[in-house]
């Protein structure tokens, strides 16, 4: 069964009831979640029930090794994640025989997170789990839960291989949520080609976070990268420190001791007499919840402003910077995300799916495998905001006036922190000790942080499903809430703030996954054979393509066919063949050159763009400069540094067509879908100043090319049409190039992917077609279903692409419409008018 109802609708109770009943009847329960934070939160809820017969325990990368034996032998409710199930539990199933023999229920929580290549891997892990359970004589029921799954029954069947019943009716009470869409203002800065640059979303998010904390509004700010989360927290803390200093200097009559009510704020209460003999209670300072951050003890937000008095379940608010409300309004201007650069270009692609995803699963080979992505961060203050508080800020003064402690009410949260630090941060946010938390999507999924009043989303999170998940973190106790989507300097973000109908009243995206992808299926067949030799009876469990993939594995020497079945032939761990969250290949170890200390690891494909020589690398709030990337040794040597710039890798890409699987007319042109081979090489990196976004240079790199066999959607135009465009004075190469950049930016609106899951190539004359051709391809070996989705929705997709370009207010093109910071050609040539004409011609009937 799959339960697909809204956030805070009681899904946890729906699966806890049968789960606890199974434990009371002598059975066992396996709870599966994409993140360790959610597992820890669920464990806390289970222990709060105080049912002694339920022996619940987490079994993940944070579980001490001395506790793991106890969990295997005694726990009857085990909470884990797909990584641990793949690398530890299933390969060592004999040690778990008692648990598997009594397994009654498998709970797959927040299942919409299993999409794309990651979801395809999880689908095969669940099939391996079913096979292991059957070996020990159990047939557990599967109960899936999600707040944002489209066609839940169909998706759940593809994920588990089992027929599914659906529960989709949601009668739970909800407060009203005000949704604000904000496009940041253009600045006076100029980027490549003289294009105007918008203020970044992280800088705006930091401003808003500081404002809301001042107003005693408990707020969560979602930022797309780990570095972005750190930057938003640090910037907000700095702003609050300035406010605290100014308040202490300009409002001495408010400078009361901690715990004393603020008598000057607009509370309507009488001031406390100066001679009141009652001393203020001393605060109970708890432990530091986060490296580099100390949580300030204090009162919970007991006087949160009423953000929305209406009883509508959702309200839209579109605002331009010049229409910004004054202090105290519930919608603020926003700003461009942390600039995690997007992969596209006629010569660019970014297949580093972990760049913004903070799914912190278990890594058996390297527990501290932190894939840091150093996106551009704007720490500059908003010149429109009040730098020093004055009497106009009295609306925002909190109940307590320990001004020096204001900055300590904000912290960052992401993977890479120690488990105990993450748990302390979660506890501090729930209790109100922390009023603002800047986080990656590690807190997107179901963690109970009730009491939140506002959510800031710095940049489109990739899907409508993620948007509603993140917005649903606020107002979970039934109160009204505020959610602000702050647009990045990106074509898709630009499109959405100008076309709110694409968000509101629309179903969430269909979840795309392909368990039959041979590049996914092969490693899991090897892992299954290493667990228990495969037999003919297992073929139907793993899908229709299993027989062909097994033949390939035998010919490659990975499996050996015997009369009893297929056997794993190697001494190495078969599970190492599948990197379920990364791009494959042996990890590159990031080592501090002066001490030899291992900081973390990056998968080999990501290393070309994230830890190349000269790259800026961030680890647990510290900035490092990559001195050398040695691919043969598998090491990146780094040293501590404090540069005033960030780096972005640029690549060039060639593409060849291997097979055309489908074709159909599209206007005067033709749309195709098929197999392609992509050759990509990182050739240089950009240096951009942190404070202003100013380009400082383009440094060359010498890295080997990488080859990828995948699937693509592409369209061509006949020579007669192209000739007409050329005669009208349009730059054909620049028009195709601009259309390709924008099309990549808009595909995530129609396929459940992130921008770094896809790439593109455009050319005025392609060798395989002999025509003007624009490609958009999946950035994963074998394909992930994204290009196929684009083929199916081509008219809607390309229409939205044209509208996104047309709605941008720039004259010749900018990052909000057709420019890419990772374009290997330096965003040259680009022709905005030509792209509009080209797409208009293609879409004409």
């Amino acid at each position: 069964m799959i339960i697909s109802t809204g956030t805070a609708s009681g899904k946890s109770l729906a699966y806890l009831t049968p789960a606890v009943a199974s434990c009371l009847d002598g059975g066992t329960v396996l709870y599966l979640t994409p993140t360790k934070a959610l597992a820890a939160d669920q464990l806390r809820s289970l222990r709060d029930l105080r049912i002694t017969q339920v022996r619940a325990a987490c079994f993940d990368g944070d579980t001490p090794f001395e506790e793991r034996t106890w969990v295997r032998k005694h726990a009857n409710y085990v909470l884990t994640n797909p990584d641990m199930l793949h690398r530890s539990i299933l390969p060592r199933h004999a040690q778990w025989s008692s648990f598997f023999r009594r397994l009654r229920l498998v709970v797959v929580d927040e299942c919409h997170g299993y999409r794309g290549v990651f979801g395809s891997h999880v689908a095969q892990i669940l099939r391996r789990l079913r096979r292991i359970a059957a070996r020990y004589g159990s047939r557990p029921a599967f109960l899936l839960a999600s707040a944002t799954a489209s066609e839940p029954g169909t998706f759940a069947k593809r994920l588990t291989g089992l027929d599914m019943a659906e529960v989709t009716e949601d009668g739970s009470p909800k407060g009203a949520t005000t949704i604000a869409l904000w496009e940041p203002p253009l600045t006076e800065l100029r980027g490549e080609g003289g294009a105007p640059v918008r203020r970044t979303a992280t800088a705006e998010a930091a401003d808003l976070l500081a404002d809301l904390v001042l107003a005693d509004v408990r707020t969560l700010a979602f930022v797309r990268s780990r570095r972005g989360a750190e930057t938003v927290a640090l910037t907000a803390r700095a702003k609050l420190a300035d406010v605290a200093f100014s308040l202490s200097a300009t409002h001495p009559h408010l400078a009361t001791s901690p715990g004393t009510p603020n008598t000057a704020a607009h509370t309507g209460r009488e001031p406390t007499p100066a001679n009141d003999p009652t001393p203020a209670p001393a605060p109970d300072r708890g432990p530091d919840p986060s490296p580099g951050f100390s949580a300030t003890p204090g009162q919970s937000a007991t006087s949160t402003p009423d953000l929305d008095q209406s009883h509508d379940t959702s309200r839209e608010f579109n605002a331009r910077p010049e229409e910004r409300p004054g202090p105290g309004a519930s919608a603020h201007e926003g700003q461009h995300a942390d600039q995690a650069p997007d992969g596209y270009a006629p010569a660019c692609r970014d297949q580093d799916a972990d760049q913004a995803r903070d799914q912190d699963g278990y890594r058996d080979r390297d527990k501290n495998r932190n894939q840091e992505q150093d996106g551009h961060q704007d720490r500059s203050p908003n010149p429109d905001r009040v730098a020093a508080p004055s009497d106009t800020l009295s609306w925002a003064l909190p109940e307590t006036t320990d001004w020096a402690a204001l900055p300590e009410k904000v912290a960052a949260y992401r993977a890479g922190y120690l488990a105990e630090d993450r748990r302390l941060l979660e506890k501090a946010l729930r209790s109100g000790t922390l009023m603002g938390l800047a986080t990656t999507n590690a807190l997107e999924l179901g963690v109970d942080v009730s009491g939140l009043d506002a959510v800031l989303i710095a940049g489109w999170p990739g899907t409508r499903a993620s948007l509603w998940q993140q917005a649903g973190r606020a107002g979970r106790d039934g109160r009204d809430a505020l959610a602000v989507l702050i647009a990045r300097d990106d074509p898709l973000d630009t499109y959405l703030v100008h076309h709110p109908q694409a968000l509101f009243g629309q179903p969430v995206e269909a979840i795309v996954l392909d368990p039959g992808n041979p590049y996914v299926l092969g490693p899991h067949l090897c892992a299954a054979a290493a667990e228990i030799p495969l037999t003919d009876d297992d073929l139907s469990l793993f899908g229709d393509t299993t027989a062909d993939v097994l033949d390939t594995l035998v010919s490659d020497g990975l499996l050996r066919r015997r009369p009893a079945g297929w056997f794993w032939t190697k001494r190495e761990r078969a599970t190492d063949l599948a990197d379920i969250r990364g791009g494959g290949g042996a990890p590159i170890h990031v080592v501090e050159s002066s001490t030899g200390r291992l900081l973390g690891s990056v998968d080999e494909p990501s290393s070309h763009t994230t830890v190349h020589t000269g790259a800026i690398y961030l680890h647990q709030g510290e900035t490092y400069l990559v001195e050398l990337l040695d691919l043969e040794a598998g090491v990146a040597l780094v040293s501590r540094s404090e540069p005033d710039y960030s780096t972005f890798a640029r690549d060039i890409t060639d593409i060849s067509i291997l097979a055309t699987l489908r074709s159909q007319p599209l206007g005067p042109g033709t749309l195709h879908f098929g197999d392609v081979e992509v050759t990509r090489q990182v050739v240089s990196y950009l240096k951009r100043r942190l404070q202003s976004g100013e380009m400082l240079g383009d440094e060359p790199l010498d890295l080997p090319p990488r080859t990828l066999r995948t699937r693509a959607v592409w369209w061509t135009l006949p020579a007669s049409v192209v000739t007409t465009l050329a005669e009208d004075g349009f730059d054909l190469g620049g028009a195709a190039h601009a259309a390709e950049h924008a099309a990549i930016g808009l595909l995530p609106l129609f396929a459940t992917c992130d921008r770094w899951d896809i790439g593109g190539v455009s050319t005025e004359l392609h060798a395989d077609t002999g025509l003007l051709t624009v490609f958009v391809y999946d950035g994963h070996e074998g394909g992930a279903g994204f290009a196929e989705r684009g083929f199916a929705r081509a008219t809607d997709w390309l229409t939205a692409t044209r509208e996104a370009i047309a709605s941008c207010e720039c004259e010749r093109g900018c990052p909000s419409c057709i420019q890419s910071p990772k374009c290997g050609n330096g965003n040259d040539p680009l022709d905005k008018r030509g792209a509009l004409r080209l797409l208009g011609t293609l879409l004409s009937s």
Side-chain angles (χ1 to χ4, degrees):
M1 175 179 290
I2 178 169
I3 303 172
S4 183
T5 55
T7 56
S9 59
K11 294 186 296 297
S12 297
L13 181 62
Y15 62 69
L16 275 173
T17 304
V20 170
S22 296
C23 293
L24 296 178
D25 290 342
T28 59
V29 174
L30 182 67
Y31 173 91
L32 198 64
T33 172
T35 66
K36 290 184 285 188
L38 182 52
D41 184 71
Q42 287 294 311
L43 179 62
R44 180 184 57 82
S45 298
L46 281 166
R47 289 177 174 170
D48 287 347
L49 296 176
R50 300 184 183 277
I51 303 175
T52 56
Q53 297 95 322
V54 177
R55 299 182 298 278
C58 284
F59 193 85
D60 55 31
D62 292 338
T63 306
F65 282 94
E66 59 271 18
E67 293 182 14
R68 297 186 182 187
T69 300
W70 183 93
V71 176
R72 285 195 299 266
K73 292 183 177 179
H74 302 292
N76 57 8
Y77 197 124
V78 174
L79 303 96
T80 188
N81 51 55
D83 310 76
M84 198 69 164
L85 189 61
H86 165 62
R87 292 192 175 277
S88 181
I89 296 176
L90 295 180
R92 299 182 177 94
H93 59 86
Q95 300 176 5
W96 291 83
S97 58
S98 176
F99 181 86
F100 282 121
R101 200 170 285 119
R102 297 177 292 128
L103 185 60
R104 304 277 183 84
L105 181 65
V106 177
V107 177
V108 185
D109 202 3
E110 303 292 355
C111 61
H112 63 273
Y114 303 124
R115 58 180 182 255
V117 173
F118 177 52
S120 301
H121 279 291
V122 173
Q124 294 299 345
I125 291 171
L126 293 179
R127 285 159 174 77
R128 288 164 49 200
L129 170 63
R130 290 171 50 201
R131 184 169 174 261
I132 293 294
R135 168 67 177 266
Y136 292 97
S138 64
R139 295 187 60 185
F142 280 72
L143 201 162
L144 284 67
S146 170
T148 49
S150 176
E151 302 176 353
T154 302
F155 158 66
K157 182 174 181 179
R158 295 192 74 186
L159 185 66
T160 63
L162 298 167
D163 291 331
M164 285 281 160
E166 297 180 357
V167 175
T168 56
E169 294 184 12
D170 184 354
S172 59
K174 299 183 185 301
T177 299
T178 298
I179 308 291
L181 306 179
W182 199 275
E183 183 177 40
L186 291 170
T187 68
E188 296 180 355
L189 299 171
R190 290 294 179 263
E192 290 185 322
V197 177
R198 293 190 186 276
R199 195 160 184 267
T200 61
T202 44
E204 289 284 336
D207 284 351
L208 290 171
L209 184 60
D211 284 354
L212 290 166
V213 168
L214 275 173
D216 253 7
V217 178
R218 202 176 307 177
T219 306
L220 202 59
F222 285 103
V223 191
R224 294 185 57 140
S225 76
R226 298 175 181 183
R227 175 171 184 155
E230 298 273 11
T231 300
V232 167
L234 287 170
T235 306
R237 287 164 62 91
K239 293 177 184 298
L240 289 172
D242 291 342
V243 169
F245 176 80
S246 298
L247 284 173
S248 299
T250 61
H251 294 75
H253 59 291
L254 301 183
T256 55
S257 59
T260 305
N262 174 7
T263 61
H266 298 310
T267 61
R269 282 175 275 183
E270 292 297 322
T272 304
N275 59 354
D276 187 345
T278 307
D284 178 19
R285 294 193 175 271
D288 185 352
S290 167
F293 298 110
S294 59
T296 302
Q299 300 172 359
S300 298
T302 56
S303 59
T304 302
D306 186 2
L307 298 173
D308 185 359
Q309 294 290 347
S310 75
H311 296 286
D312 297 335
T313 57
S314 177
R315 291 173 54 198
E316 302 175 31
F317 177 68
N318 286 299
R320 305 284 298 179
E322 59 270 19
E323 301 164 352
R324 58 192 299 164
S330 61
H332 299 263
E333 77 282 21
Q335 178 238 320
H336 152 160
D338 68 14
Q339 298 284 17
D342 302 315
Y344 49 72
C348 58
R349 180 182 73 80
D350 186 349
Q351 62 182 18
D352 309 329
D354 279 347
Q355 178 167 6
R357 297 191 188 94
D358 213 348
Q359 310 291 356
D360 54 341
Y362 171 69
R363 303 284 190 178
D364 187 63
R365 288 173 293 178
D366 185 352
K367 180 178 174 182
N368 293 320
R369 184 175 187 168
N370 299 322
Q371 299 181 16
E372 306 292 358
Q373 304 296 333
D374 298 342
H376 165 57
Q377 311 300 329
D378 186 340
R379 304 187 188 207
S380 60
N382 185 339
D384 296 331
R385 289 191 181 276
V386 180
S390 65
D391 290 339
T392 61
L393 278 180
S394 59
W395 64 273
L397 298 180
E399 287 289 322
T400 58
T401 51
D402 181 8
W403 305 123
L406 268 178
E408 298 174 358
K409 290 182 175 293
V410 175
Y413 181 103
R414 64 170 180 81
Y417 290 161
L418 297 176
E420 53 268 30
D421 293 327
R422 293 199 300 270
R423 301 297 88 81
L424 284 171
L425 282 167
E426 295 160 16
K427 181 179 179 181
L429 185 64
R430 282 192 297 267
S431 68
T433 304
L434 279 176
M435 294 300 297
L437 196 63
T439 179
T440 58
N441 64 355
L443 284 181
E444 174 183 319
L445 302 176
V447 176
D448 182 11
V449 284
S450 57
L452 286 177
D453 304 300
V455 167
L456 306 175
I457 304 170
W460 172 245
T463 63
R464 283 186 291 268
S466 290
L467 176 69
W468 302 131
Q469 281 288 149
Q470 294 181 6
R473 294 304 95 196
R476 289 175 65 87
D477 57 357
R479 293 189 298 184
D480 294 348
L482 168 69
V484 183
L485 174 61
I486 307 168
R488 296 186 306 153
D489 214 357
D490 176 90
L492 181 52
D493 290 45
T494 301
Y495 175 82
L496 291 173
V497 295
H498 288 277
H499 299 82
Q501 66 273 17
L503 293 178
F504 301 101
Q506 298 292 327
V508 296
E509 302 83 356
I511 301 175
V512 178
L513 69 155
D514 181 14
N517 181 338
Y519 295 94
V520 171
L521 178 58
H524 288 285
L525 289 175
C526 290
E531 291 156 4
I532 304 170
L534 290 164
T535 66
D536 290 330
D537 294 337
D538 296 322
L539 300 188
S540 60
L541 175 65
F542 289 99
D544 298 336
T545 60
T546 304
D548 293 338
V549 175
L550 282 173
D551 290 341
T552 302
L553 295 173
V554 170
S555 63
D556 290 344
L558 294 173
L559 295 182
R560 183 171 299 162
R561 180 71 189 272
R562 290 288 183 264
W566 289 265
F567 292 77
W568 172 245
T569 62
K570 304 292 184 179
R571 291 177 177 240
E572 296 81 12
R573 288 166 47 96
T575 52
D576 289 344
L577 294 176
D579 185 0
I580 70 174
R581 296 185 193 260
I588 301 296
H589 297 288
V590 182
V591 177
E592 189 173 23
S593 59
S594 60
T595 64
R597 181 168 62 105
L598 177 65
L599 299 180
S601 297
V602 176
D603 62 81
E604 194 273 337
S606 300
S607 67
H608 290 232
T609 56
T610 59
V611 290
H612 57 77
T613 301
I616 301 302
Y617 178 82
L618 192 74
H619 178 72
Q620 294 191 357
E622 301 293 339
T623 305
Y624 296 84
L625 175 68
V626 180
E627 298 175 347
L628 175 69
L629 170 61
D630 189 335
L631 293 172
E632 292 185 2
V635 172
L637 297 177
V638 302
S639 59
R640 287 284 301 275
S641 179
E642 295 293 337
D644 64 346
Y645 62 88
S646 57
T647 57
F648 304 92
R650 300 183 110 163
D651 54 26
I652 57 173
T653 305
D654 291 321
I655 192 166
S656 59
I657 300 172
L658 302 179
T660 302
L661 302 179
R662 272 174 265 166
S663 297
Q664 67 184 39
L666 183 64
T670 308
L671 184 73
H672 306 272
F673 170 73
D675 296 325
V676 297
E677 183 175 81
V678 180
T679 302
R680 177 195 180 204
Q681 183 176 18
V682 175
V683 295
S684 67
Y685 66 96
L686 289 178
K687 298 166 69 174
R688 179 181 287 169
R689 194 178 300 279
L690 286 172
Q691 295 289 343
S692 64
E694 175 189 359
M695 293 295 181
L696 301 179
D698 190 354
E699 303 292 335
L701 289 171
D702 182 19
L703 289 169
R706 305 187 75 257
T707 300
L708 174 75
R709 290 200 172 197
T710 184
R711 288 187 166 177
V713 55
W714 66 94
W715 49 267
T716 59
L717 280 175
S720 58
V721 174
V722 171
T723 300
T724 301
L725 292 173
E727 291 174 350
D728 290 342
F730 294 107
D731 181 343
L732 296 178
H737 189 185
E740 172 229 327
H741 279 190
I744 290 174
L746 268 292
L747 182 57
L749 191 61
F750 301 92
T752 308
C753 64
D754 288 302
R755 191 161 186 165
W756 37 88
D757 288 327
I758 51 181
V761 174
S762 61
T763 176
E764 186 176 344
L765 186 67
H766 192 267
D768 293 336
T769 65
L771 301 169
L772 183 149
T773 310
V774 175
F775 294 86
V776 175
Y777 59 86
D778 292 348
H780 299 272
E781 196 75 33
F786 309 135
E788 187 173 12
R789 188 78 177 173
F791 180 86
R793 299 286 306 276
T795 301
D796 294 338
W797 166 36
L798 296 177
T799 299
T801 300
R802 188 181 186 282
E803 291 177 357
I805 299 174
S807 64
C808 185
E809 59 196 285
C810 72
E811 293 184 6
R812 296 188 300 167
C814 69
S816 293
C817 56
I818 61 173
Q819 283 194 352
S820 161
K822 298 189 73 177
C823 176
N825 287 3
N827 286 301
D828 183 49
L830 289 176
D831 186 343
K832 180 177 179 178
R833 290 177 55 251
L836 290 171
R837 176 72 176 272
L838 195 66
L839 290 167
T841 301
L842 187 68
L843 293 167
S844 62
S845 56

